[in-house]
Amino acid sequence: MTEKTAIVPATHTAPPAKFSHGVKKGNILQVAGQVGFLPAVEGQSPTPAGPTLREQTLQTFANVKAVLEEGGASWDDVMMMRVYLTDVNHFAEMNEIYNAYFEEQGLKAPAAARTTVYVGLPPGLLIEIDALAVLG
């Protein structure tokens, strides 16, 4: 039986509850929901990348990518991404940011994805993304 390994990049703050930023078991890596917090600074509370959807989305992608890389994966290993927005009016802008980002990444084949509106994020946060990757 393959061990389950917690993935916690140095750039991330400790989770507020008993969970990991990512978990790897065998060739499966699940990235927990990431938000647009800037890299962790010891002794400081997590800080959003900025007030705009663009700033938070790009930082959220960076945070997901950090977990993927810490777990030995890349965007090309991602099979499924789930995007959670706090405002239905952000769909079009998020799609533009998403498309431009992954074009820059040179993605060979896009992951399956779904976007939904979710209002349970902490105040000021506009987006959360999780991802499922299969390595190898």
Side-chain angles (χ1 to χ4, degrees), residues 30-107:
Q30 175 65 56
V31 178
Q34 301 293 304
V35 294
F37 287 142
L38 293 169
V41 175
E42 192 172 332
Q44 290 185 8
S45 296
T47 305
T52 69
L53 181 66
R54 172 171 290 287
E55 291 167 310
Q56 289 189 27
T57 300
L58 293 175
Q59 186 61 53
T60 301
F61 284 144
N63 293 342
V64 171
K65 185 176 181 180
V67 177
L68 289 169
E69 289 176 348
E70 186 77 16
S74 72
W75 286 119
D76 281 317
D77 296 310
V78 173
M79 301 297 292
M80 178 68 180
M81 279 200 301
R82 286 169 292 274
V83 178
Y84 304 93
L85 297 172
T86 59
D87 186 335
V88 69
N89 294 314
H90 288 159
F91 268 88
E93 182 181 1
M94 191 283 301
N95 283 337
E96 288 175 19
I97 297 164
Y98 184 101
N99 288 338
Y101 178 84
F102 285 109
E103 186 172 315
E104 289 174 10
Q105 298 299 305
L107 201 61

